[in-house]
Amino acid sequence: MDQVVEAARPGDEAAFAQVIEPLRHELQIHCYRMLGSIEDAEDAVQETFLRAWTRRDSYAGRAPFRAWLYGIATHACLDALRRKKARMWPTDLAGPADPRNYALAALDVPWLQPYPDRLLDAAAAARDEPEAVVTAKETIELAFLAAIQRLPARQRAVLVLRDTLDWSVRDTAAALNVTQAAVNSALQRAHATLAAHLPQRRAEWRSDPTVSERRALERLIAAWERGDAAALVELLSDDAKLIMPPGSTWFAGRRDIATFLAEHVFGQMSAGWRLLPTAANRQPAFGLYWRRPGDDVFRAFAIGVLRVDGDAIGQIALFQQPELFGAFALAPCR
């Protein structure tokens, strides 16, 4: 705290930046929870740092400097949400498609994005807390992120501050400039919404990948690269989903997913696939590369994120957005 105050008083921007920079990763995760996008989160962090510098004289040391920054970041996110629509999830826009009568066109809507585990690990390492609440799986998994996108911005902020960061009602109210009664009311309404849309699996979540998750990813990669649709489908639960942003088309159930994989992925598109393992949102993931027929180069195609339920894959989310590969630091595939 003294270091922060001393850095701010003489207007030493370099010294101030040195103090706040170690908090960058965890603030980005906080903003990602609020906004559902890596790019939007980084923009909000940059805005947070700018606001913190211009308002540095307002920090009186009565609260922890970290909490002061989180308050600024939360308001930066709320301002962003006033300008932008909430991030969407395909199952919220349409029902499951017929695997023999569908369209794969992209929709120009803001889509929820995956978040690389390498950035989560960087945040935990910066605080020297591998199990820090900022990276806890139950509040970073895609199911949770998709569910909280349904919340109005203020409810989302209250939920993240109270449930994820474990802030008190008093501190949350002070950060958001609302009454404690308003915080309690917003949290109650947020919980009611989540209860209707979030899978009841939170007690089972673990921060580290399980043996089942690692095995499922390994087997999926092997089957996909062989072009073996039958072996891939055997890994799925009966009620599995295949979701493919930036399109609203998705498939439900092993039979329909099997038809789509056999006829489209390994049929029309051929078997020219390579996969590299990675991780996102504390879930097993992979970088998917495709080599067009007649081409000799594998090109970035999608980031795949798995939800593993027990020993079966309950959901495959294929983010067909090659621009995401940079955030995952995935190398070119040959």
Side-chain angles (χ1 to χ4, degrees):
M1 182 187 302
D2 292 341
Q3 183 184 12
V4 175
V5 174
E6 292 304 315
R9 282 175 180 164
D12 187 339
E13 187 172 358
F16 190 72
Q18 187 176 7
V19 172
I20 64 177
E21 187 62 32
L23 297 171
R24 175 181 292 276
H25 288 300
E26 65 174 277
L27 285 171
Q28 188 188 73
I29 295 169
H30 174 62
C31 294
Y32 168 72
R33 282 193 179 95
M34 288 288 297
L35 302 173
S37 159
I38 301 172
E39 293 89 351
D40 289 352
E42 182 55 32
D43 289 345
V45 171
Q46 291 300 112
E47 178 64 20
T48 297
F49 283 8
L50 176 61
R51 293 184 186 186
W53 169 248
T54 58
R55 302 174 189 175
R56 61 193 183 279
D57 291 339
S58 69
Y59 176 65
R62 290 188 293 270
F65 180 66
R66 176 172 173 267
W68 182 71
L69 271 182
Y70 265 88
I72 295 175
T74 302
H75 281 283
C77 292
L78 289 173
D79 289 343
L81 288 170
R82 293 188 188 99
R83 301 188 301 268
K84 300 180 180 183
K85 295 180 180 179
R87 292 276 161 171
M88 305 301 295
W89 195 236
T91 56
D92 294 333
L93 297 178
D98 181 339
R100 290 194 168 91
N101 183 21
Y102 59 87
L104 292 177
L107 292 183
D108 187 19
V109 300
W111 293 101
L112 178 65
Q113 295 180 337
Y115 195 87
D117 271 20
R118 71 182 190 88
L119 299 181
L120 296 174
D121 294 338
R127 297 194 62 203
D128 194 26
E129 297 179 27
E131 299 300 325
V133 293
V134 292
T135 63
K137 183 172 183 178
E138 66 269 20
T139 61
I140 202 69
E141 198 179 56
L142 285 173
F144 178 79
L145 269 297
I148 67 173
Q149 294 302 303
R150 295 172 173 270
L151 301 176
R154 186 74 62 177
Q155 288 184 32
R156 196 182 314 174
V158 168
L159 180 85
V160 170
L161 292 175
R162 289 283 289 121
D163 284 5
T164 300
L165 299 180
D166 200 25
W167 280 25
S168 68
V169 175
R170 178 182 177 181
D171 290 343
T172 301
L176 297 177
N177 298 319
V178 298
T179 66
Q180 294 185 38
V183 168
N184 288 329
S185 177
L187 186 62
Q188 184 177 22
R189 294 196 300 273
H191 283 166
T193 299
L194 290 191
H197 298 287
L198 187 64
Q200 298 298 311
R201 304 168 49 250
R202 297 170 69 92
E204 302 172 10
W205 276 326
R206 299 291 183 270
S207 294
D208 297 326
T210 65
V211 172
S212 294
E213 287 176 331
R214 289 193 295 268
R215 183 182 299 119
L217 179 60
E218 292 169 358
R219 294 174 64 189
L220 177 140
I221 289 175
W224 202 304
E225 291 190 338
R226 293 196 311 269
D228 191 341
L232 204 161
V233 171
E234 282 297 314
L235 302 175
L236 305 179
S237 62
D238 290 339
D239 59 351
K241 296 182 178 67
L242 175 60
I243 298 170
M244 298 174 289
S248 61
T249 298
W250 61 281
F251 300 102
R254 293 175 67 181
R255 183 180 62 182
D256 285 358
I257 295 174
T259 299
F260 175 75
L261 290 174
E263 296 184 1
H264 181 78
V265 176
F266 302 125
Q268 296 176 24
M269 298 186 72
S270 82
W273 300 99
R274 290 290 184 271
L275 291 80
L276 293 180
T278 185
N281 299 78
R282 296 302 185 205
Q283 298 172 245
F286 55 92
L288 180 62
Y289 299 79
W290 180 46
R291 184 178 61 194
R292 294 177 180 273
D295 201 350
D296 58 357
V297 177
F298 286 93
R299 305 183 189 278
F301 184 81
I303 297 292
V305 184
L306 307 181
R307 192 192 75 220
V308 179
D309 301 326
D311 292 326
I313 297 174
Q315 178 176 281
I316 303 174
L318 282 181
F319 296 86
Q320 298 177 55
Q321 298 160 296
E323 63 272 17
L324 294 174
F325 276 62
F328 283 83
L330 286 168
C333 187
R334 299 185 184 279

